[in-house]
Amino acid sequence: MRKILVTGGAGFIGSNFIIYWLKKYPGDFIVNLDKLTYAGNKDNLKEVENNPNYRFVKGDIADGKLVESLMEGIDYVVHFAAESHVDRSIIEPALFIRTNVLGTQVLLEAALKHKIKKFHYISTDEVFGSLALDQQDKFSENTPYNPRSPYAASKAACDHLVRAYNYTYGFPITISNCSNNFGPFQHPEKLIPLAITNILENKEVPVYGDGLNVRDWLFVEDHCRAIDLILESGKIGETYCVGGLTEEINNLQIVKKIIRILKKDESIIRMVKDRPGHDRKYAIDWSKIHQELGWQPINGFDVWLEKTVFWYKENQWWWSKLKSGQFKKYYEEQYPDL
Ligand code: NAD
Ligand code: DAU
């Protein structure tokens, strides 16, 4: 039995990962350390909450004492916990530095002390900056760092810290830099779930700027399989870029696809003020993980998008709670034109 400490496992990707892992490796034990910020949600984990091989601990990754006590007997750490929303990092950058940078250092220190076998850090393609729309290049493991939002800068700092622990102390790390995930249990502050749920509620869908920004979309289950392969067979000290099977598709086209799936009218789209410093385009070259570990996405974007839209349609109980209360206030401030 392997014992894995997952951080941020009540968030979007972390909860999908825990469900995936316990299904595939029922003999392993997972400890989930999560602070349950606005983005953490125990509803995501109903499927595993009574599993004897799963333990939830509410706490902060920056709490050194707690983290030390949890590291005892751990084989792997899979570190997802972070403040993850770019728009919120523009409003409150200090929180992103505290959680993402300081929190990661606290985890690294405790993991080093306890000589764990592998520390996998979940990073982002945003550390590489922005591509121009007409640029054919893609981000790869060799792309120089050029983060442009406080969120991206905090993640870049973590990538450097994680690698520094490997170079300096010989600590066994791997890193993955992945593109925009989508799928079940994603908070409705992010573009795809916001668009789906607003349309289901007959509310306008805010699209920033001219709507031509491009992201590289990765279905969350494909991402979980990539992490699995890296944990099982990835080389210590290495970084792997993980992306989706998307043709170049811009935000406006995505929203229009969702509108078509839900058989609504495009008049529901509302062009709003652009995000400050809005990165124009991300595109990922995932040939390294494909060639070395045999990973590739299972389906193309349209198949996964339809599956995602239906999940939100079927699970209104899950997201309607998230769109009330605290989120309403954030939404009104973030989208004053709506
Ligand atoms: P999320 O915002 O949905 O979840 C983050 C989780 O971390 C929440 O459960 C939250 O409660 C927890 N958390 C926050 N601060 C904490 C703290 N101080 N201590 C303990 N737990 C804390 O994020 P996500 O979309 O699931 O992203 C997970 C990771 O993947 C993040 O590191 C993010 O930077 C990275 N990532 C995300 C995407 C994406 O498209 N969602 C893409 C690339 C990389
Ligand atoms: O690329 C990986 C990153 O993807 C992750 O590291 C981040 O954690 C994750 O949040 C995501 O960042 P983005 O900023 O790309 O995701 P978001 O869903 O916020 O926005 C996607 C695109 O849609 C982006 O171009 C901004 C735009 N957008 C977003 C929102 C919330 C809109 O046009 N309207 C909106 O209301």
Side-chain angles (χ1 to χ4, degrees), residues 84-87 124-126 151 178-181 189-192 194 206-208 213 215 217 251 275 278-279 282 335:
S84 71
H85 192 34
V86 174
D87 291 324
T124 170
D125 59 359
E126 300 206 9
Y151 162 71
C178 70
S179 56
N180 285 61
N181 284 224
E189 67 185 358
K190 308 278 166 61
L191 178 68
I192 289 182
L194 181 68
V207 175
Y208 294 156
N213 300 62
R215 296 293 183 265
W217 295 95
N251 295 338
R275 169 188 283 175
H278 194 175
D279 287 344
Y282 306 144
Y335 304 100

Side-chain angles (χ1 to χ4, degrees), residues 11-13 34-35 37 40 60-61 80 84 123 151 155 178 181:
F12 163 47
I13 309 175
D34 196 297
K35 192 177 174 185
T37 67
D60 190 335
I61 53 166
F80 296 93
S84 71
S123 189
Y151 162 71
K155 296 295 287 185
C178 70
N181 284 224

